[in-house]
Coordinates of all heavy atoms in Angstrom, one line a residue:
G20 N 135.2 74.8 140.0 CA 136.4 74.1 139.9 C 137.2 74.5 138.6 O 136.7 75.2 137.8
L21 N 138.3 74.1 138.5 CA 139.2 74.3 137.4 C 138.9 73.4 136.2 O 138.8 72.2 136.4 CB 140.7 74.1 137.8 CG 141.8 74.4 136.8 CD1 141.8 75.8 136.4 CD2 143.1 74.0 137.4
D22 N 138.6 74.1 135.1 CA 138.4 73.2 133.9 C 139.7 72.5 133.5 O 140.7 73.1 133.4 CB 137.9 74.1 132.7 CG 136.4 74.3 132.7 OD1 135.7 73.6 133.4 OD2 136.0 75.2 132.0
K23 N 139.5 71.3 133.2 CA 140.7 70.5 132.7 C 140.5 70.3 131.2 O 139.6 69.8 130.7 CB 140.7 69.1 133.3 CG 141.3 69.0 134.6 CD 141.6 67.6 135.1 CE 140.9 66.5 134.4 NZ 141.2 65.2 135.0
N24 N 141.5 70.9 130.4 CA 141.6 70.7 129.0 C 142.6 69.7 128.6 O 143.2 69.7 127.6 CB 141.9 72.0 128.3 CG 140.7 73.0 128.5 OD1 139.6 72.7 128.5 ND2 141.1 74.3 128.7
Y25 N 142.9 68.7 129.5 CA 143.9 67.7 129.3 C 143.4 66.4 129.9 O 142.4 66.4 130.7 CB 145.2 68.1 129.9 CG 145.2 68.3 131.4 CD1 145.4 67.3 132.3 CD2 144.9 69.6 131.9 CE1 145.4 67.5 133.7 CE2 144.8 69.8 133.3 CZ 145.1 68.7 134.2 OH 145.0 68.9 135.5
E26 N 144.0 65.3 129.5 CA 143.6 64.0 130.0 C 144.8 63.5 130.8 O 146.0 63.5 130.3 CB 143.3 63.0 128.9 CG 142.8 61.7 129.4 CD 142.4 60.8 128.3 OE1 142.1 61.2 127.2 OE2 142.4 59.5 128.5
E27 N 144.6 62.9 132.0 CA 145.6 62.3 132.8 C 145.9 60.9 132.3 O 144.9 60.1 132.3 CB 145.3 62.4 134.2 CG 145.1 63.8 134.7 CD 144.5 64.0 136.1 OE1 144.2 62.9 136.7 OE2 144.3 65.1 136.5
L28 N 147.1 60.6 132.0 CA 147.5 59.2 131.6 C 148.1 58.4 132.6 O 148.0 57.1 132.6 CB 148.4 59.3 130.3 CG 147.8 60.0 129.1 CD1 148.9 60.0 128.0 CD2 146.6 59.3 128.6
A29 N 148.8 59.0 133.6 CA 149.5 58.2 134.6 C 149.5 59.1 135.9 O 149.6 60.3 135.8 CB 150.9 57.8 134.2
H30 N 149.5 58.4 137.0 CA 149.6 59.1 138.3 C 150.7 58.5 139.2 O 151.1 57.4 139.0 CB 148.3 58.9 139.1 CG 147.1 59.6 138.4 ND1 146.4 58.9 137.5 CD2 146.6 60.8 138.5 CE1 145.4 59.7 137.0 NE2 145.5 60.9 137.6
F31 N 151.2 59.3 140.1 CA 152.2 58.8 141.0 C 151.6 57.9 142.0 O 150.6 58.3 142.6 CB 153.0 60.0 141.7 CG 153.9 60.7 140.8 CD1 153.6 62.0 140.3 CD2 155.1 60.2 140.5 CE1 154.4 62.6 139.4 CE2 156.0 60.8 139.7 CZ 155.7 62.1 139.1
T32 N 152.2 56.8 142.3 CA 151.7 55.8 143.2 C 152.6 55.6 144.4 O 152.4 54.7 145.2 CB 151.3 54.5 142.5 OG1 152.5 53.9 142.0 CG2 150.3 54.6 141.5
S33 N 153.8 56.3 144.3 CA 154.8 56.1 145.4 C 155.5 57.4 145.6 O 155.4 58.3 144.7 CB 155.7 55.0 145.1 OG 156.5 55.3 143.9
E34 N 156.3 57.6 146.6 CA 157.1 58.7 146.8 C 158.1 58.8 145.7 O 158.6 57.8 145.3 CB 157.8 58.7 148.2 CG 156.8 58.7 149.4 CD 156.0 60.0 149.5 OE1 156.4 61.0 149.0 OE2 155.0 59.9 150.2
V35 N 158.5 60.0 145.3 CA 159.4 60.2 144.2 C 160.7 60.9 144.6 O 161.6 60.9 143.8 CB 158.7 60.8 143.0 CG1 157.6 60.0 142.5 CG2 158.2 62.2 143.4
N36 N 160.7 61.6 145.7 CA 161.8 62.5 146.0 C 162.7 61.8 147.0 O 162.4 61.6 148.2 CB 161.4 63.8 146.5 CG 162.5 64.8 146.7 OD1 163.7 64.5 146.7 ND2 162.1 66.1 146.8
T37 N 164.0 61.5 146.6 CA 164.9 60.9 147.5 C 165.9 62.0 148.1 O 166.6 61.7 149.0 CB 165.7 59.8 146.8 OG1 166.4 60.4 145.7 CG2 164.8 58.7 146.4
V38 N 165.8 63.2 147.6 CA 166.7 64.2 148.0 C 166.3 64.9 149.3 O 167.1 65.0 150.3 CB 166.9 65.3 146.9 CG1 167.8 66.4 147.4 CG2 167.4 64.7 145.6
Q39 N 165.0 65.2 149.4 CA 164.4 65.8 150.6 C 163.1 65.2 151.0 O 162.1 65.8 151.0 CB 164.3 67.3 150.5 CG 165.5 68.1 150.3 CD 165.3 69.6 150.1 OE1 164.3 70.0 149.5 NE2 166.2 70.4 150.7
P40 N 163.1 63.9 151.2 CA 161.8 63.2 151.4 C 161.0 63.7 152.5 O 159.7 63.8 152.4 CB 162.2 61.7 151.6 CG 163.7 61.8 152.1 CD 164.2 63.0 151.4
A41 N 161.5 64.1 153.6 CA 160.7 64.6 154.8 C 160.0 65.9 154.4 O 158.9 66.2 154.9 CB 161.6 64.9 156.0
R42 N 160.6 66.7 153.5 CA 160.0 68.0 153.1 C 158.9 67.8 152.1 O 158.0 68.7 152.0 CB 161.1 68.9 152.6 CG 160.7 70.3 152.2 CD 161.9 71.1 151.9 NE 161.4 72.2 151.1 CZ 162.0 72.8 150.1 NH1 163.2 72.4 149.8 NH2 161.5 73.8 149.5
T43 N 158.9 66.7 151.3 CA 158.0 66.6 150.2 C 157.1 65.4 150.4 O 156.2 65.1 149.5 CB 158.7 66.5 148.9 OG1 159.6 65.3 149.0 CG2 159.6 67.7 148.6
R44 N 157.2 64.6 151.4 CA 156.4 63.4 151.6 C 154.9 63.6 151.4 O 154.3 64.5 151.9 CB 156.6 62.8 153.0 CG 156.0 61.5 153.2 CD 156.4 60.8 154.5 NE 157.8 60.3 154.3 CZ 158.9 60.7 155.0 NH1 158.7 61.6 155.9 NH2 160.0 60.2 154.7
G45 N 154.3 62.8 150.5 CA 152.9 62.8 150.3 C 152.4 63.9 149.2 O 151.3 63.8 148.9
Q46 N 153.3 64.7 148.8 CA 152.9 65.8 147.9 C 152.5 65.3 146.5 O 151.7 65.9 145.8 CB 153.9 66.9 147.8 CG 154.0 67.7 149.1 CD 155.1 68.8 149.0 OE1 155.5 69.2 147.9 NE2 155.4 69.4 150.1
M47 N 153.2 64.3 146.0 CA 153.0 63.8 144.7 C 152.0 62.6 144.6 O 151.5 62.3 143.5 CB 154.3 63.4 144.0 CG 155.3 64.6 143.9 SD 154.7 65.9 142.9 CE 154.6 65.2 141.3
L48 N 151.8 61.9 145.7 CA 150.9 60.7 145.6 C 149.6 61.1 145.0 O 148.9 62.0 145.5 CB 150.7 60.2 147.0 CG 152.0 59.6 147.7 CD1 151.7 59.2 149.1 CD2 152.5 58.4 146.9
G49 N 149.2 60.3 144.0 CA 147.9 60.5 143.3 C 147.9 61.7 142.3 O 146.9 61.8 141.6
K50 N 148.9 62.4 142.2 CA 149.0 63.6 141.3 C 149.4 63.1 139.9 O 150.0 62.0 139.8 CB 150.0 64.6 141.7 CG 149.7 65.2 143.1 CD 148.5 66.1 143.0 CE 148.3 67.0 144.2 NZ 148.2 66.5 145.5
P51 N 148.9 63.8 138.8 CA 149.3 63.4 137.5 C 150.8 63.3 137.3 O 151.5 64.3 137.7 CB 148.6 64.5 136.6 CG 147.6 65.1 137.5 CD 148.1 65.0 138.9
A52 N 151.2 62.3 136.6 CA 152.6 62.2 136.2 C 152.8 62.4 134.7 O 153.8 62.9 134.2 CB 153.2 60.8 136.6
V53 N 151.8 62.0 133.9 CA 151.8 62.2 132.5 C 150.4 62.7 132.1 O 149.4 62.1 132.5 CB 152.1 60.9 131.7 CG1 152.1 61.1 130.2 CG2 153.4 60.3 132.2
V54 N 150.3 63.7 131.2 CA 149.1 64.3 130.7 C 149.2 64.5 129.2 O 150.3 64.6 128.7 CB 148.7 65.6 131.4 CG1 148.4 65.3 132.9 CG2 149.7 66.7 131.2
W55 N 148.1 64.6 128.5 CA 148.1 65.0 127.1 C 146.9 65.8 126.8 O 145.9 65.9 127.5 CB 148.1 63.7 126.2 CG 146.8 63.1 126.0 CD1 146.2 62.2 126.9 CD2 145.9 63.2 125.0 NE1 145.0 61.8 126.4 CE2 144.8 62.4 125.2 CE3 146.0 63.9 123.8 CZ2 143.7 62.3 124.3 CZ3 144.9 63.8 122.9 CH2 143.8 63.0 123.2
A56 N 147.0 66.6 125.7 CA 145.9 67.5 125.2 C 146.1 67.7 123.8 O 147.2 67.7 123.2 CB 146.0 68.8 126.0
K57 N 145.0 67.9 123.1 CA 145.0 68.4 121.7 C 145.5 69.8 121.7 O 145.1 70.6 122.6 CB 143.7 68.3 121.1 CG 143.2 66.9 120.8 CD 144.0 66.2 119.8 CE 143.5 64.9 119.4 NZ 144.4 64.2 118.5
H58 N 146.4 70.2 120.8 CA 146.8 71.6 120.7 C 147.0 71.9 119.2 O 147.8 71.3 118.5 CB 148.2 71.8 121.4 CG 148.7 73.2 121.3 ND1 148.1 74.2 122.1 CD2 149.7 73.7 120.7 CE1 148.7 75.3 121.8 NE2 149.7 75.0 121.0
G59 N 146.2 72.8 118.7 CA 146.2 73.1 117.3 C 145.9 71.9 116.5 O 144.9 71.2 116.7
N60 N 146.7 71.6 115.5 CA 146.5 70.4 114.7 C 147.2 69.1 115.3 O 147.3 68.1 114.7 CB 147.0 70.6 113.3 CG 146.2 71.6 112.6 OD1 145.0 71.7 112.8 ND2 146.8 72.4 111.7
G61 N 147.8 69.3 116.4 CA 148.6 68.2 117.0 C 148.2 67.8 118.4 O 147.2 68.1 118.9
T62 N 149.1 67.1 119.0 CA 148.9 66.6 120.4 C 150.1 67.0 121.2 O 151.3 66.9 120.8 CB 148.8 65.1 120.4 OG1 147.7 64.7 119.5 CG2 148.6 64.5 121.7
A63 N 149.9 67.5 122.4 CA 151.0 67.8 123.4 C 151.0 66.8 124.5 O 149.9 66.5 125.0 CB 150.7 69.2 123.9
L64 N 152.1 66.3 124.8 CA 152.3 65.4 125.9 C 153.2 66.1 126.9 O 154.2 66.7 126.5 CB 153.0 64.1 125.4 CG 152.1 63.1 124.7 CD1 153.0 62.2 123.8 CD2 151.2 62.4 125.6
A65 N 152.9 65.9 128.2 CA 153.7 66.5 129.2 C 153.9 65.4 130.3 O 153.0 64.7 130.7 CB 153.0 67.7 129.8
T66 N 155.2 65.3 130.8 CA 155.5 64.4 131.8 C 156.4 65.0 132.9 O 157.3 65.8 132.5 CB 156.2 63.1 131.2 OG1 156.5 62.2 132.3 CG2 157.4 63.4 130.4
V67 N 156.1 64.7 134.1 CA 156.9 65.1 135.2 C 158.1 64.2 135.3 O 159.2 64.5 135.8 CB 156.1 65.1 136.5 CG1 156.9 65.5 137.7 CG2 154.9 66.1 136.4
V68 N 157.9 62.9 134.8 CA 158.9 61.9 135.0 C 160.1 62.3 134.1 O 160.0 62.6 132.9 CB 158.4 60.5 134.5 CG1 159.4 59.5 134.6 CG2 157.1 60.2 135.4
H69 N 161.3 62.2 134.6 CA 162.6 62.5 133.9 C 163.2 61.1 133.5 O 164.3 60.8 134.1 CB 163.5 63.3 134.7 CG 163.1 64.7 134.9 ND1 163.3 65.6 133.9 CD2 162.4 65.3 135.9 CE1 162.8 66.8 134.3 NE2 162.2 66.6 135.5
A70 N 162.6 60.4 132.5 CA 163.2 59.1 132.1 C 164.6 59.3 131.6 O 165.4 58.3 131.8 CB 162.3 58.5 131.1
E71 N 164.9 60.4 131.0 CA 166.3 60.6 130.5 C 167.3 60.6 131.6 O 168.5 60.3 131.3 CB 166.4 61.9 129.7 CG 166.5 63.1 130.5 CD 165.2 63.7 131.1 OE1 164.1 63.0 130.9 OE2 165.2 64.7 131.8
L72 N 167.0 60.9 132.8 CA 168.0 60.9 133.9 C 168.5 59.5 134.2 O 169.7 59.4 134.6 CB 167.4 61.5 135.2 CG 167.0 63.0 135.1 CD1 166.4 63.4 136.4 CD2 168.2 63.8 134.7
S73 N 167.7 58.5 134.0 CA 168.2 57.1 134.2 C 169.3 56.7 133.2 O 170.0 55.8 133.4 CB 167.1 56.1 134.3 OG 166.4 56.1 133.0
I74 N 169.3 57.4 132.1 CA 170.3 57.1 131.1 C 171.7 57.6 131.6 O 172.7 56.9 131.5 CB 170.0 57.7 129.7 CG1 168.7 57.1 129.2 CG2 171.2 57.6 128.7 CD1 168.1 57.8 128.0
G75 N 171.7 58.8 132.2 CA 173.0 59.4 132.7 C 173.6 58.6 133.8 O 174.8 58.5 133.9
D76 N 172.8 58.1 134.7 CA 173.3 57.3 135.8 C 173.4 55.8 135.6 O 173.7 55.1 136.5 CB 172.6 57.7 137.1 CG 171.2 57.1 137.2 OD1 170.8 56.2 136.4 OD2 170.5 57.4 138.2
R77 N 173.1 55.4 134.4 CA 173.2 54.0 133.9 C 172.2 53.1 134.7 O 172.4 51.9 134.7 CB 174.6 53.5 134.0 CG 175.6 54.3 133.1 CD 177.0 53.7 133.2 NE 177.9 54.6 132.5 CZ 178.4 54.2 131.3 NH1 178.0 53.1 130.7 NH2 179.2 55.0 130.7
S78 N 171.2 53.7 135.2 CA 170.2 52.8 135.9 C 168.9 52.6 135.0 O 167.9 52.2 135.4 CB 169.7 53.5 137.2 OG 169.0 54.7 136.9
V79 N 169.1 53.0 133.7 CA 168.0 52.9 132.8 C 167.4 51.5 132.7 O 168.0 50.5 132.7 CB 168.4 53.4 131.4 CG1 169.4 52.5 130.7 CG2 167.2 53.6 130.5
D80 N 166.1 51.5 132.8 CA 165.3 50.3 132.7 C 164.7 50.3 131.3 O 163.7 50.8 131.0 CB 164.1 50.3 133.7 CG 163.2 49.1 133.6 OD1 163.4 48.3 132.7 OD2 162.3 49.0 134.5
T81 N 165.6 49.8 130.3 CA 165.3 49.9 128.9 C 163.9 49.4 128.5 O 163.2 50.1 127.8 CB 166.4 49.2 128.1 OG1 167.6 49.9 128.4 CG2 166.1 49.4 126.6
P82 N 163.5 48.2 128.9 CA 162.2 47.7 128.5 C 161.0 48.6 128.9 O 160.1 48.9 128.2 CB 162.0 46.3 129.2 CG 163.4 45.9 129.4 CD 164.2 47.1 129.7
N83 N 161.1 49.1 130.2 CA 160.0 50.0 130.6 C 160.1 51.4 130.0 O 159.1 52.1 129.7 CB 160.0 50.1 132.1 CG 159.3 48.9 132.7 OD1 158.4 48.4 132.2 ND2 159.8 48.4 133.8
L84 N 161.3 51.9 129.7 CA 161.5 53.2 129.0 C 160.9 53.1 127.6 O 160.3 54.0 127.2 CB 163.0 53.5 129.0 CG 163.3 54.8 128.3 CD1 162.6 56.0 128.9 CD2 164.8 55.1 128.2
L85 N 161.2 52.0 126.9 CA 160.6 51.8 125.6 C 159.1 51.7 125.6 O 158.4 52.2 124.8 CB 161.2 50.5 125.0 CG 162.7 50.6 124.6 CD1 163.2 49.3 124.1 CD2 163.0 51.8 123.7
K86 N 158.5 51.1 126.7 CA 157.1 51.0 126.8 C 156.5 52.4 127.0 O 155.5 52.8 126.4 CB 156.7 50.2 128.0 CG 156.8 48.7 127.8 CD 156.4 47.9 129.1 CE 156.8 46.5 129.0 NZ 156.5 45.8 130.3
L87 N 157.2 53.2 127.8 CA 156.8 54.6 128.0 C 156.8 55.4 126.7 O 155.9 56.1 126.4 CB 157.7 55.3 129.1 CG 157.5 56.8 129.4 CD1 156.2 56.9 130.1 CD2 158.7 57.3 130.1
L88 N 157.9 55.3 126.0 CA 158.0 56.0 124.7 C 157.0 55.5 123.7 O 156.4 56.3 123.0 CB 159.4 55.9 124.2 CG 160.5 56.5 125.0 CD1 161.9 56.2 124.4 CD2 160.3 58.0 125.2
K89 N 156.7 54.2 123.7 CA 155.7 53.7 122.8 C 154.3 54.2 123.2 O 153.5 54.6 122.3 CB 155.7 52.2 122.8 CG 154.7 51.6 121.8 CD 154.5 50.1 121.9 CE 153.5 49.6 121.0 NZ 152.2 50.2 121.0
G90 N 154.1 54.3 124.4 CA 152.8 54.9 124.9 C 152.6 56.3 124.5 O 151.6 56.7 124.1
F91 N 153.7 57.1 124.5 CA 153.7 58.5 124.1 C 153.3 58.5 122.6 O 152.5 59.3 122.2 CB 155.0 59.2 124.3 CG 155.3 59.5 125.7 CD1 156.5 60.1 126.1 CD2 154.4 59.3 126.7 CE1 156.8 60.4 127.4 CE2 154.6 59.7 128.1 CZ 155.9 60.2 128.4
L92 N 154.0 57.7 121.8 CA 153.7 57.6 120.4 C 152.3 57.2 120.1 O 151.6 57.7 119.2 CB 154.7 56.7 119.7 CG 156.1 57.3 119.6 CD1 157.0 56.2 119.0 CD2 156.1 58.5 118.7
D93 N 151.8 56.2 120.8 CA 150.4 55.8 120.6 C 149.4 56.9 120.9 O 148.4 56.9 120.2 CB 150.1 54.6 121.6 CG 150.8 53.3 121.2 OD1 151.3 53.2 120.0 OD2 150.8 52.4 122.0
V94 N 149.7 57.7 121.8 CA 148.8 58.9 122.1 C 148.9 60.0 121.1 O 148.0 60.5 120.5 CB 149.0 59.4 123.5 CG1 148.2 60.7 123.7 CG2 148.6 58.4 124.6
A95 N 150.2 60.3 120.8 CA 150.5 61.4 119.9 C 150.2 61.1 118.4 O 149.8 62.0 117.7 CB 151.9 61.8 120.0
A96 N 150.4 59.9 118.0 CA 150.2 59.5 116.6 C 149.5 58.2 116.5 O 150.1 57.2 116.1 CB 151.5 59.5 115.9
P97 N 148.2 58.1 116.9 CA 147.4 56.9 116.8 C 147.4 56.4 115.3 O 147.4 57.2 114.4 CB 146.1 57.2 117.3 CG 145.9 58.7 117.2 CD 147.3 59.2 117.3
R98 N 147.3 55.1 115.2 CA 147.3 54.5 113.9 C 145.9 54.6 113.2 O 144.9 54.6 113.8 CB 147.7 53.0 114.0 CG 149.1 52.9 114.4 CD 149.4 51.5 114.8 NE 150.5 51.5 115.7 CZ 151.6 50.8 115.6 NH1 151.6 49.8 114.8 NH2 152.5 50.9 116.5

């Protein structure tokens, strides 16, 4: 199998594509949405989720966006 040098922090639990749902149905379910890994002296975080898009269309869920960002900080810069 493929060696994982990263840790999965969140997974997709629902369909995410509203543009072409019939073409992509089921492809993301259970797949990693947020991962992190040590890199050099730091930490790398990667997310498939485009939280910034909700700012542009004014649908931003500020409390949950702030929780997401705090979670990133907790992983990247633990106290």
Side-chain angles (χ1 to χ4, degrees):
L21 181 64
D22 273 346
K23 278 194 341 185
N24 295 322
Y25 60 91
E26 183 178 339
E27 300 170 1
L28 298 177
H30 297 87
F31 287 102
T32 59
S33 63
E34 297 292 342
V35 296
N36 187 344
T37 57
V38 178
Q39 295 180 323
R42 187 171 158 215
T43 60
R44 185 168 286 116
Q46 292 182 11
M47 297 301 292
L48 293 174
K50 300 289 193 304
V53 181
V54 299
W55 79 279
K57 291 290 186 186
H58 182 72
N60 292 328
T62 302
L64 285 159
T66 178
V67 177
V68 179
H69 288 279
E71 78 282 1
L72 294 180
S73 62
I74 295 169
D76 72 8
R77 298 179 186 257
S78 69
V79 67
D80 177 353
T81 302
N83 283 323
L84 179 59
L85 292 176
K86 286 180 192 175
L87 177 70
L88 295 175
K89 182 187 179 307
F91 286 175
L92 289 173
D93 289 345
V94 170
R98 295 168 203 225

